[in-house]
Amino acid sequence: MNAVRVLWRVLNPLLVSAVVGLCLWYAVADLFSFSPYVVKSPSDVWTYLFSGPDAASNRSSVLQPLGTTLIDGAYGFGFGMAAAVAAALVFVIAPMVERTFMPLATLLRSVPLVTMTPLIVLVFGRGIGGVAVIGGIVVFFPALVTLTHGLRSASPQATDVVAVYGGGARAFLTKVALPGALPYLFAAARLSVPAALVGALVTEWLATGKGVGGAIVNDIGSFGYSHLWASIIVLTSVSIVLYTLLGAAETVVLSQMGMAEDG
């Protein structure tokens, strides 16, 4: 796949997302009688970050906590995805384990994260451990379901070939299931990026008081609505960019393996 095609696949969803998001933002701001002091327009955020007299210091105040949130989100993403991959492999090899533990995973998913956060912080602390566990819980279940389905999507013919040549469960996983599940792995990763950032925000809001989550709490208390809107928009933009970059990586990898879709 040539570079121009990959570049178009990266930029096209970014442009569409930006245009749709801006149109909805302007529409909501115009249709409802929100106070301009509380609800900021795209031009207000642009002025705050780029064209206002204090734009440089405003950008710094937004980007510094953003870096903390991205690191927190990376911990949750890594922990959740690793746990989901490991659990999916076990479920495919030993269906009895899935029948035993999937109801527990479903129960864990159904409990609101806000109610679990104090207990998780009590057990794992407010450091990397607590951040990784809280973010990982948000990522884990959707990724687990997607990956388990992907590992079981191998064609019966390929499975029969492995069996004919005397291959066991390990050969089936390495030769058939894992390569065939790559599209599902990328799909799970793309879905997990915004989920991990949401988990990081919840952690910072309820536990650490750092990052964008902590800044949002401070902004609400100090009526810093311009900073609050700028922080949310920048974090959302970064999430969209990361999502799109993972999509571009998926296109390149699957193309190299002859699995990419046309278009």
Side-chain angles (χ1 to χ4, degrees):
M1 181 173 290
N2 59 52
V4 174
R5 189 176 177 185
V6 174
L7 183 62
W8 171 246
R9 285 207 170 191
V10 173
L11 294 179
N12 185 38
L14 280 176
L15 293 174
V16 171
S17 298
V19 171
V20 171
L22 285 173
C23 290
L24 289 175
W25 189 356
Y26 272 117
V28 171
D30 290 338
L31 290 176
F32 298 94
S33 300
F34 294 121
S35 169
Y37 179 71
V38 176
V39 178
K40 302 301 180 180
S41 68
S43 58
D44 293 330
V45 174
W46 178 268
T47 300
Y48 183 81
L49 289 175
F50 298 105
S51 61
D54 300 321
S57 62
N58 293 339
R59 285 196 303 271
S60 177
S61 68
V62 169
L63 294 179
Q64 185 174 1
L66 174 67
T68 301
T69 298
L70 291 178
I71 293 173
D72 291 342
Y75 284 129
F77 177 86
F79 180 74
M81 284 297 296
V85 170
L89 290 172
V90 173
F91 285 178
V92 171
I93 296 173
M96 180 61 72
V97 177
E98 179 183 7
R99 289 192 291 270
T100 302
F101 288 98
M102 184 59 84
L104 179 61
T106 304
L107 177 63
L108 182 66
R109 176 64 176 174
S110 66
V111 178
L113 185 61
V114 173
T115 63
M116 292 191 297
T117 298
L119 180 60
I120 295 172
V121 171
L122 182 64
V123 175
F124 295 97
R126 300 176 184 270
I128 295 175
V131 169
V133 170
I134 296 172
I137 289 174
V138 179
V139 169
F140 175 75
F141 186 77
L144 173 62
V145 173
T146 303
L147 290 171
T148 301
H149 178 70
L151 290 170
R152 287 183 173 149
S153 65
S155 67
Q157 294 84 358
T159 304
D160 292 341
V161 169
V162 173
V164 166
Y165 281 94
R170 181 177 179 181
F172 167 74
L173 287 175
T174 57
K175 303 295 184 181
V176 177
L178 285 173
L182 274 178
Y184 296 88
L185 176 62
F186 278 108
R190 283 187 280 114
L191 292 173
S192 297
V193 164
L197 292 178
V198 169
L201 286 176
V202 172
T203 306
E204 294 165 352
W205 174 38
L206 296 177
T208 67
K210 300 178 181 178
V212 176
I216 288 175
V217 175
N218 293 331
D219 291 337
I220 294 174
S222 61
F223 305 102
Y225 297 119
S226 294
H227 187 273
L228 185 150
W229 277 86
S231 298
I232 293 174
I233 294 305
V234 170
L235 181 63
T236 302
S237 301
V238 170
S239 177
I240 294 173
V241 170
L242 293 176
Y243 180 95
T244 306
L245 290 177
L246 278 172
E250 176 184 7
T251 299
V252 172
V253 172
L254 297 186
S255 176
Q256 294 297 321
M257 299 184 66
M259 301 169 64
E261 298 180 357
D262 295 331

